[in-house]
Amino acid sequence: MSSLRTTFTLSFAAVAAGVTVLVGFLSYDAAARLVRVDQQTVFAQVVADLRDQVSQKQLMPGDFAVSDKDNDTARDDIIRPSRTVVQVLGPGGSVVDHSNPPLPVGGDDRRIAENATAGKRVEHTNVSVGGDVYRVATVALGRGQGAVQVAQELSSTEDLLRSLQQRTALLMGAVVIAAGLFGWWLARRITGRLVRLAGAAEGVARTRRLGVQVPVTGNDEVARLGRSFDRMLGRLAQSEEDQRRLVQDAGHELRTPLTSLRTNISLLRRIDELPAAAREELVADLAQESRELTDLVNELVDLAAGQSDTEPVQRLILADIAEDAATIARRRTGRQVVVRTTGDTTVDGRATALQRAFSNLVENAAKFDRDGKAPIEIAVMGPVHPPQLADSDEPDTGPPLGSVRVEVLDRGPGIEEGDLMRVFDRFYRAADARSLPGSGLGLAIVRDVATSHGGAPFASRREGGGSVIGFTIGGGAAHTGE
């Protein structure tokens, strides 16, 4: 299988060869045609001038036989402009003055020499004379006095054209070779970075190590591809690290309830030997441990599913999701949950993920605010947009989306200052919350939902006691993970 570099080189050389051959052929054909036409035009003009001479003047063979010192004879008038060969024929076609080389005299030439009409002519092409090829024309002097033969050598011109043809072919070959070498150099320059990028990708596939440094130089499409590949590897490495930490943390958290379950299960073998109160305590402990284990597994499943959520992003009214979450929380906990909304709460997001974030915040507030006297408050605060003018020509496509802030307020014991920055970490539980049920994953899910929607979580102490925990949603669309 040929490489991209070889394909590019051959393609470049083939295109260059095709263009060079076409240009060379057209150039040679045009040059050869021009030379031949020019040569034929000159010869035709010489013949025409000779016919004019013999038609206007009563010339004799002797008038063309010699040249004088002034070079102004009829013979000189023919030779001077074209350097043609002249041979003079007498009556009956006999040669009066041989040319150098002598021209052949045929029957047609003799008949012209005997012709009574001055200027009568006959032409021969491709006449072989002494190994060379000539074009010959015989013009009658009239009155049967003889004729004048003029000849133009074609061999030298054809030799010149053949030499030009050979040089053109050599030049085309040199251009093709140069184009191939240049194409190879250019292909190596262009594909060199692709080769290095492919090597990096193959190295990742072979070693499964994502921390590979991707060579990136330049600002063209190949450089953009390299940077995109580098960012992709970075995200994959981060995802792999998150999965590894999730598995490690999950294993650590699962170890405690599983150990407790094994201990209690071992006691079940001697349950008949235990007093009634101990048996009831054992069964209650098993039920509690199984519920906590179920909750932990569910939280882990939700957290893992949130990392690869494929739920489509759609335009939502966050106040409606808050009302739904409050209704569910009232039914589950029996607590009073109040929803307050201000401004525009329209966002682009995933309904299921946001519903989960609201539920986790309310359940967290209900768990820590065990007194239950004060209501749990959900505050959804969006930006306030100016109303659109009634006579505006702009189409009503909905208000622009801004940042929306969600707060859940309770009157529980509050959060210690040192724990405010850590409550959203996975499996983190403050010292005063370790005796309470829970997995330590609820607020971690809230953090993931917030960041996937272009926002961030936050936590603070509430004035008068309690906590304020929530998140923001940015004004752009939710992250799609692409």
Side-chain angles (χ1 to χ4, degrees):
M1 182 173 62
S2 60
S3 64
L4 180 62
R5 181 180 300 175
T6 303
T7 303
F8 187 88
T9 302
L10 293 178
S11 300
F12 192 89
V15 171
V19 173
T20 302
V21 170
L22 180 62
V23 172
F25 173 78
L26 294 177
S27 300
Y28 169 77
D29 183 71
R33 189 189 303 270
L34 182 63
V35 170
R36 291 189 178 107
V37 169
D38 181 70
Q39 192 177 43
Q40 186 176 6
T41 301
V42 170
F43 185 75
Q45 185 63 44
V46 170
V47 174
D49 291 342
L50 177 59
R51 293 181 65 192
D52 290 341
Q53 280 185 328
V54 299
S55 298
Q56 295 173 5
K57 303 176 183 179
Q58 294 184 356
L59 299 176
M60 303 297 291
D63 295 327
F64 293 93
V66 295
S67 300
D68 60 10
K69 295 181 180 180
D70 296 331
N71 294 323
D72 58 358
T73 64
R75 183 188 185 98
D76 294 326
D77 292 339
I78 299 173
I79 298 175
R80 190 166 49 243
S82 61
R83 292 177 295 180
T84 54
V85 176
V86 179
Q87 180 170 274
V88 183
L89 302 180
S94 60
V95 179
V96 176
D97 183 23
H98 286 280
S99 62
N100 186 21
L103 300 177
V105 180
D108 293 338
D109 301 316
R110 293 187 181 91
R111 283 191 291 272
I112 288 295
E114 296 174 352
N115 200 287
T117 304
K120 194 74 173 180
R121 79 179 188 281
V122 63
E123 292 188 12
H124 308 281
T125 56
N126 298 326
V127 177
S128 178
V129 179
D132 295 325
V133 178
Y134 285 79
R135 179 187 288 117
V136 181
T138 304
V139 179
L141 296 177
R143 305 179 308 281
Q145 295 298 318
V148 177
Q149 288 182 303
V150 291
Q152 184 183 56
E153 185 181 0
L154 302 179
S155 297
S156 59
T157 302
E158 294 301 322
D159 291 341
L160 175 64
L161 292 178
R162 278 193 295 271
S163 176
L164 177 63
Q165 186 180 38
Q166 293 174 356
R167 293 185 180 184
T168 302
L170 291 175
L171 179 61
M172 289 190 298
V175 170
V176 171
I177 294 174
L181 294 175
F182 179 76
W184 177 82
W185 174 82
L186 187 62
R188 182 180 180 185
R189 182 178 179 85
I190 293 176
T191 61
R193 290 177 295 165
L194 287 176
V195 171
R196 291 192 293 272
L197 187 59
E202 292 172 354
V204 172
R206 183 177 61 256
T207 62
R208 297 186 179 182
R209 291 186 301 174
L210 301 176
V212 176
Q213 184 66 31
V214 179
V216 180
T217 57
N219 296 309
D220 55 6
E221 288 79 0
V222 177
R224 289 173 53 195
L225 176 62
R227 282 190 287 269
S228 298
F229 184 69
D230 192 38
R231 287 193 297 268
M232 181 189 70
L233 287 181
R235 292 185 179 181
L236 288 176
Q238 183 62 44
S239 177
E240 185 181 60
E241 177 63 19
D242 292 341
Q243 291 178 359
R244 185 185 63 80
R245 287 179 54 245
L246 178 62
V247 171
Q248 290 178 347
D249 294 343
H252 176 75
E253 293 296 323
L254 287 170
R255 189 175 295 114
T256 299
L258 288 176
T259 301
S260 179
L261 281 175
R262 282 198 301 268
T263 302
N264 290 331
I265 290 172
S266 65
L267 292 176
L268 285 176
R269 297 176 180 176
R270 298 186 294 111
I271 192 170
D272 294 337
E273 303 175 6
L274 299 176
R279 287 198 298 268
E280 292 179 1
E281 183 181 355
L282 176 60
V283 172
D285 194 17
L286 283 171
Q288 177 65 24
E289 292 290 346
S290 63
R291 282 194 301 269
E292 291 188 7
L293 184 60
T294 301
D295 292 340
L296 178 58
V297 172
N298 290 336
E299 295 283 1
L300 287 172
V301 171
D302 290 338
L303 188 61
Q307 293 177 349
S308 58
D309 195 357
T310 58
E311 181 185 1
V313 176
Q314 53 188 329
R315 179 161 285 200
L316 306 169
I317 299 177
L318 210 57
D320 294 343
I321 298 179
E323 290 288 353
D324 293 339
T327 301
I328 295 174
R330 294 186 193 106
R331 185 175 62 250
R332 288 180 178 177
T333 64
R335 297 288 299 274
Q336 182 182 3
V337 182
V338 180
V339 178
R340 293 185 288 104
T341 61
T342 57
D344 179 23
T345 63
T346 304
V347 297
D348 284 338
R350 301 184 181 91
T352 303
L354 291 171
Q355 177 74 44
R356 182 64 175 169
F358 273 99
S359 298
N360 286 0
L361 287 175
V362 177
E363 290 175 4
N364 183 78
K367 179 174 64 175
F368 286 95
D369 187 3
R370 287 168 287 180
D371 188 6
K373 294 180 180 180
I376 297 173
E377 300 179 28
I378 302 177
V380 184
M381 295 164 285
V384 178
H385 300 287
Q388 189 177 21
L389 297 179
D391 58 350
S392 175
D393 295 332
E394 295 295 329
D396 185 9
T397 57
L401 303 182
S403 177
V404 179
R405 182 180 179 90
V406 175
E407 295 180 352
V408 175
L409 303 90
D410 63 66
R411 287 299 182 183
I415 305 174
E416 297 294 334
E417 290 292 339
D419 294 330
L420 287 176
M421 301 300 296
R422 303 188 60 188
V423 292
F424 295 101
D425 293 343
R426 294 173 182 171
F427 303 107
Y428 179 78
R429 303 179 73 185
D432 56 354
R434 292 172 185 170
S435 60
L436 299 176
S439 62
L441 291 174
L443 295 183
I445 294 176
V446 172
R447 180 194 61 187
D448 290 348
V449 172
T451 55
S452 68
H453 286 76
F458 59 85
S460 63
R461 297 174 62 85
R462 186 181 182 186
E463 186 178 353
S467 304
V468 180
I469 304 178
F471 60 92
T472 60
I473 295 181
H479 296 176
T480 61
E482 296 177 358

